[in-house]
Amino acid sequence: MSAFTEPREGVLLSGGEPLIRSDIIELIQAARELGFPRIRLRTNGTPLADPRFLHHLLSAGCQHFEIKLFAGEPRFHDRISGVSGSLEQTWAGIELLRRAVIPGRRDQQPFVGILIPLREDNVTILPETILALVALRPDRIVLSWEIATESVSRTLPAIRNAVNLALLNRTWMLTENIPLCLMKDLEVHVAELYLPPRTCHEQVTQCRRCVFREFCPGIPSRSLKTRLSQEIKPVSTSVHLEAIRSLVRGRRIRHENGYEADGEAG
Amino acid sequence: MTPPFLNCCSGQETEVLMAALTVTLVSFNAEGHFSLANGYLKAYVHEDRSLRHRVDLDLVDFAVENHDARQALFYLSQRMPRVLGLSCYCWNMEVNLELARIYKAVAPASLIVLGGPEVGPIAERYLRDNDAVDLVVRGEGEATFRELLRHLAAGEGALEEIHGISYRRDGTVISTPDRPPIADLDEIPSPYLTGVLAPRDRVTYVETSRGCPYRCAYCYEGRHFPGVRLFSERRIQREIETVVRTPGVRSFHLVDSVFNLNKERLRRLARLISEVNQTGAQILTVEILADLVDEETTELLRLANVASVETGPQTVHADTLALMRRPHRADAFARGVRLLREAGIEVLCDLIIGLPGDNFFRFAQSIREVMELRPTTLVFSILHVLPGTDLYEDPPHYGLRFDARAPHLVIDTDTFPFAEIDRAVLMSIPVAKEYNVRLD
């Protein structure tokens, strides 16, 4: 996840867990030699708790981190990750990252984003997770919708609450994979609006009547047959429409079902 | 209440004439920096032979982020100056007023003088709202401050004859007529050449001109100092020579509202700088208009050993730029940034959050479009509605509301509600960091 910046400006090392590779430092060095100015790493963060390893990563050229975290409490996080004690290590990794400076640049710290995959089994603990995280002062938190079965109308208040808690604590938050109609009045937090063109998710029949259809992230395929698709309601008007249209102008968005929209078409 | 400074010239004037008038000029700056403005004041005062032995003037700098009024008060309590001068900008007003208030209580007979762009345009308001403040120097300070010290230390002239000041007398705030800016800038002795300021690496500023030919609605410079006044090339040459020969100084900055405004002058300055800069010191920052950059400009900037330049565009939206009266040609700007980058010169692009006519997603579009130009660094700042600017003078015209207290942050506009501005600020912090953290 990289808000705004273009793909060729950076490379994302993701997985699985990229840090289990024994050649990860060499991979980062290779990316650096290829001239990528930003090398990002999406990781569960546990190996970062080792200060020497972290120093190697930073020195090799990895200075943007996205730490995947399920919850701020071990009984939730460790159960989902399947590894007992993993939250403690992830937490230690984030703490270390927040104190780290980039070798050779005393005044610059690495970028630390947090990615929270939103699931049926961590929604209830979301406020506690956000409150614990903001105390670590991450640069940004992203909530990524991965729920297949839960009702949106039940989950949405938790998301709105999480956004407000983050803002209250002066931490910027974005959402991923959540249709714009569900993010009404919180449109500014929809990550997809700032991302380079990419494939979007499915749209349903109601979407054809929605003013946001041209640039909506759509619905993840796995959610199509769930209550999510039934809860989709087209948006008939928005004060942001013209400005969003202008923001995404010129970007072709291709949906998984073949529907193609052009930012300029609407 | 009779202000204490009147006593200086009546009851106690003999004593003042016998002993040197102690003056301390305090400046709260960005960490590690020192005040060039106070350096000019001291150099200009010292040039006056009649004042040299009558005034004992010292300068003291603090970091606005790390120091507080108590530390300045400790210093002042050791010296107990009769005149305390405070260099006022929107970012240091809070601490300046705290310092003024407490020092006045510590030394009731002292004269507390404010100067600088934050107070000049609204001098009477600052005097009305702050009992501790005795006098405000409006506009360009050198000549006015020297005249004031002549009056205080040598009893010359009457206070009301000094142009460019506002003060309180018998509870009434009085403003004398404005003083025109100094026509020949070389009249002001160089703080570096006179030894008033010692150049230091990374924080030394060499001023090459004052004023601005443009009149952007959010900026103070063009409105109050229309037209550009230049320091002579000989003066600039000698200053740079002194700066680069100072042991340990490997870089410095230029102060010039648009360094590349006049190609012929840029040619002369670039050659001059390259000739005197025998140590290869870098010019870390200079403000330019990217729209005016062509291949020759980048060659000249390289010749002058300019490492990085700062440029707009503040917003990419033509209607907002027109409302702000900021010159901008998008294609020329993009080309300029590209040429600079290709020449190996770092480009710092500024965007302002909260300009009238903008909104959240229009700001996001500005970010996107400026990022596509691949500048080296992005800097976002919330709109400060500075005293003396068009925005400050006529907010209804711009559909604008702002905090009356410094730093005068925008509250909202007709197009940009408060909650959206607040979110734009919160978004801009990680976006800037994510972009600016990069490998060389």
Side-chain angles (χ1 to χ4, degrees):
Chain A
M1 233 301 306
S2 134
F4 286 104
T5 48
E6 300 292 318
R8 65 191 165 112
E9 280 281 278
V11 61
L12 172 69
L13 303 173
S14 167
E17 174 49 57
L19 291 185
I20 58 171
R21 291 183 65 115
S22 58
D23 60 350
I24 187 72
I25 300 289
E26 287 80 6
L27 278 177
I28 292 166
Q29 282 164 340
R32 181 179 202 157
E33 277 160 25
L34 283 169
F36 287 106
R38 297 179 195 85
I39 300 161
R40 305 160 199 285
L41 187 68
R42 183 176 292 171
T43 169
N44 65 33
T46 54
L48 305 178
D50 173 357
R52 286 183 58 186
F53 180 63
L54 177 58
H55 183 78
H56 285 317
L57 278 177
L58 291 167
S59 302
C62 179
Q63 296 161 357
H64 293 74
F65 295 82
E66 190 168 53
I67 316 290
K68 203 168 163 179
L69 184 131
F70 295 105
E73 285 197 21
R75 62 197 161 96
F76 286 84
H77 179 89
D78 292 359
R79 191 175 64 219
I80 298 170
S81 71
V83 181
S84 174
S86 61
L87 179 66
E88 198 181 329
Q89 278 212 300
T90 299
W91 210 260
I94 300 171
E95 282 179 326
L96 210 55
L97 257 184
R98 290 300 296 130
R99 289 201 301 271
V101 289
I102 295 173
R105 295 189 185 180
R106 274 182 308 164
D107 56 345
Q108 219 169 35
Q109 291 196 293
F111 181 89
V112 184
I114 305 289
L115 177 72
I116 305 176
L118 206 57
R119 305 153 47 103
E120 285 88 344
D121 47 5
N122 66 356
V123 162
T124 52
I125 193 93
L126 191 57
E128 288 82 354
T129 302
I130 300 297
L131 282 175
L133 274 173
V134 293
L136 297 180
R137 315 294 317 160
D139 291 306
R140 183 183 57 211
I141 300 175
V142 177
L143 284 184
S144 185
W145 179 272
E146 289 192 1
I147 295 175
T149 57
E150 185 74 41
S151 158
V152 173
S153 51
R154 280 218 304 273
T155 312
L156 219 51
I159 293 172
R160 287 176 179 267
N161 187 29
V163 170
N164 285 329
L165 278 176
L167 295 183
L168 183 68
N169 288 282
R170 315 309 282 163
T171 302
W172 184 239
M173 179 176 272
L174 290 172
T175 64
E176 263 187 352
N177 300 326
I178 306 183
L180 268 159
C181 55
L182 301 178
M183 290 297 288
K184 194 148 170 45
D185 303 325
L186 292 177
E187 294 93 340
V188 300
H189 298 281
V190 174
E192 284 84 352
L193 294 178
Y194 313 112
L195 292 166
R198 62 171 204 168
T199 300
C200 277
H201 299 304
E202 307 273 357
Q203 296 201 344
V204 294
T205 321
Q206 303 95 293
C207 299
R208 295 187 183 277
R209 287 181 287 120
C210 179
V211 294
F212 285 139
R213 68 187 179 283
E214 306 151 29
F215 25 75
C216 183
I219 308 165
S221 327
R222 62 181 173 278
S223 303
L224 268 183
K225 288 179 183 152
T226 68
R227 287 175 61 176
L228 175 62
S229 63
Q230 294 157 27
E231 290 178 34
I232 293 288
K233 288 192 179 64
V235 176
S236 58
T237 179
S238 163
V239 292
H240 297 301
L241 190 59
E242 281 312 309
I244 294 178
R245 189 169 281 160
S246 189
L247 171 66
V248 302
R249 182 165 292 153
R251 297 179 176 191
R252 295 194 70 82
I253 295 174
R254 195 165 58 79
H255 291 277
E256 284 171 354
N257 59 6
Y259 173 80
E260 234 181 68
D262 189 318
E264 271 169 331
Chain B
M1 193 184 77
T2 308
F5 61 86
L6 291 177
N7 294 336
C8 298
C9 311
S10 50
Q12 297 171 27
E13 72 185 348
T14 318
E15 185 192 321
V16 171
L17 283 170
M18 298 287 285
L21 178 74
T22 48
V23 181
T24 295
L25 299 182
V26 172
S27 183
F28 278 85
N29 317 300
E31 172 78 53
H33 286 66
F34 55 84
S35 168
L36 177 60
N38 283 350
Y40 279 130
L41 293 179
K42 183 169 180 176
Y44 203 72
V45 167
H46 268 203
E47 193 203 33
D48 188 330
R49 285 174 176 275
S50 69
L51 284 180
R52 211 170 287 168
H53 302 294
R54 287 195 164 105
V55 171
D56 170 14
L57 193 159
D58 72 341
L59 311 178
V60 56
D61 292 282
F62 294 95
V64 72
E65 306 94 337
N66 301 329
H67 298 145
D68 60 26
R70 292 280 155 186
Q71 284 164 289
L73 283 161
F74 171 77
Y75 180 87
L76 294 173
S77 68
Q78 302 293 299
R79 180 169 152 85
M80 295 297 277
R82 290 294 306 276
V83 179
L84 168 62
L86 299 169
S87 184
C88 299
Y89 295 85
C90 68
W91 66 78
N92 64 15
M93 221 39 231
E94 203 175 328
V95 66
N96 278 343
L97 290 176
E98 184 186 358
L99 187 55
R101 194 179 69 242
I102 302 176
Y103 188 64
K104 181 57 103 181
V106 172
S110 62
L111 178 77
I112 297 185
V113 181
L114 307 186
E118 166 60 25
V119 293
I122 49 172
E124 297 193 358
R125 183 180 305 173
Y126 270 108
L127 283 161
R128 272 198 300 271
D129 295 349
N130 301 280
D131 291 342
V133 177
D134 297 305
L135 191 143
V136 177
V137 171
R138 308 193 312 271
E140 210 164 62
E142 289 91 352
T144 309
F145 190 64
R146 185 163 82 180
E147 229 176 283
L148 176 69
L149 292 192
R150 273 195 194 141
H151 168 76
L152 295 172
E156 275 181 34
L159 200 62
E160 53 268 30
E161 287 166 5
I162 302 174
H163 285 194
I165 59 170
S166 299
Y167 57 98
R168 208 182 297 103
R169 174 174 285 168
D170 301 328
T172 306
V173 173
I174 296 167
S175 287
T176 63
D178 288 340
R179 176 185 298 267
I182 296 170
D184 177 9
L185 290 180
D186 281 6
E187 260 183 39
I188 309 167
S190 160
Y192 302 118
L193 298 175
T194 53
V196 166
L197 295 177
R200 293 207 314 264
D201 191 33
R202 303 191 71 84
V203 293
T204 297
Y205 289 78
V206 172
E207 196 174 31
T208 53
S209 71
R210 287 185 184 176
C212 184
Y214 302 108
R215 222 186 117 165
C216 303
Y218 49 78
C219 182
Y220 173 82
E221 190 80 2
R223 186 184 155 114
H224 287 266
F225 302 112
V228 179
R229 289 166 293 146
L230 306 174
F231 282 95
S232 71
E233 284 159 29
R234 172 82 186 126
R235 154 75 171 259
I236 296 168
Q237 181 179 13
R238 291 180 60 215
E239 278 207 326
I240 292 177
E241 222 162 27
T242 302
V243 168
V244 300
R245 282 183 184 168
T246 306
V249 175
R250 310 174 83 86
S251 61
F252 62 99
H253 308 259
L254 293 182
V255 182
D256 192 311
S257 53
V258 189
F259 189 54
N260 62 332
L261 185 66
N262 178 318
K263 181 73 77 65
E264 190 42 48
R265 177 172 176 260
L266 179 64
R267 282 191 198 107
R268 290 197 306 272
L269 284 182
R271 274 196 289 271
L272 172 159
I273 293 168
S274 95
E275 278 164 24
V276 298
N277 186 7
Q278 297 297 324
T279 59
Q282 282 189 322
I283 296 174
L284 283 181
T285 329
V286 60
E287 285 187 70
I288 60 148
L289 258 188
D291 315 33
L292 302 178
V293 169
D294 58 12
E295 283 87 350
E296 190 193 355
T297 310
T298 60
E299 276 175 34
L300 293 170
L301 292 172
R302 279 172 60 98
L303 180 65
N305 213 11
V306 171
S308 64
V309 294
E310 186 165 353
T311 188
Q314 315 306 351
T315 171
V316 299
H317 300 287
D319 50 352
T320 300
L321 287 161
L323 184 65
M324 295 299 108
R325 284 200 306 274
R326 183 187 163 85
H328 183 69
R329 289 174 295 138
D331 291 348
F333 185 90
R335 179 169 178 270
V337 173
R338 179 174 56 76
L339 289 174
L340 289 161
R341 296 289 286 127
E342 285 170 2
I345 297 167
E346 296 192 349
V347 183
L348 190 150
C349 280
D350 294 315
L351 289 174
I352 299 176
I353 301 166
L355 286 175
D358 269 2
N359 60 30
F360 187 95
F361 286 111
R362 278 166 62 103
F363 170 62
Q365 187 181 344
S366 288
I367 298 178
R368 192 197 110 189
E369 291 189 13
V370 171
M371 265 186 192
E372 284 168 1
L373 304 179
R374 310 227 188 300
T376 319
T377 306
L378 286 175
V379 176
F380 305 123
S381 50
I382 184 170
L383 176 64
H384 292 64
V385 183
L386 300 172
T389 61
D390 287 354
L391 294 186
Y392 190 97
E393 299 294 332
D394 191 7
H397 174 72
Y398 296 98
L400 177 74
R401 283 147 297 273
F402 61 91
D403 188 352
R405 281 176 71 160
H408 309 294
L409 299 188
V410 61
I411 290 172
D412 64 5
T413 76
D414 290 347
T415 56
F416 214 154
F418 174 80
E420 274 188 30
I421 291 179
D422 188 48
R423 282 169 163 81
V425 170
L426 286 177
M427 172 181 76
S428 73
I429 298 165
V431 168
K433 180 171 176 186
E434 189 175 26
Y435 186 84
N436 295 339
V437 171
R438 55 181 292 138
L439 299 163
D440 296 325

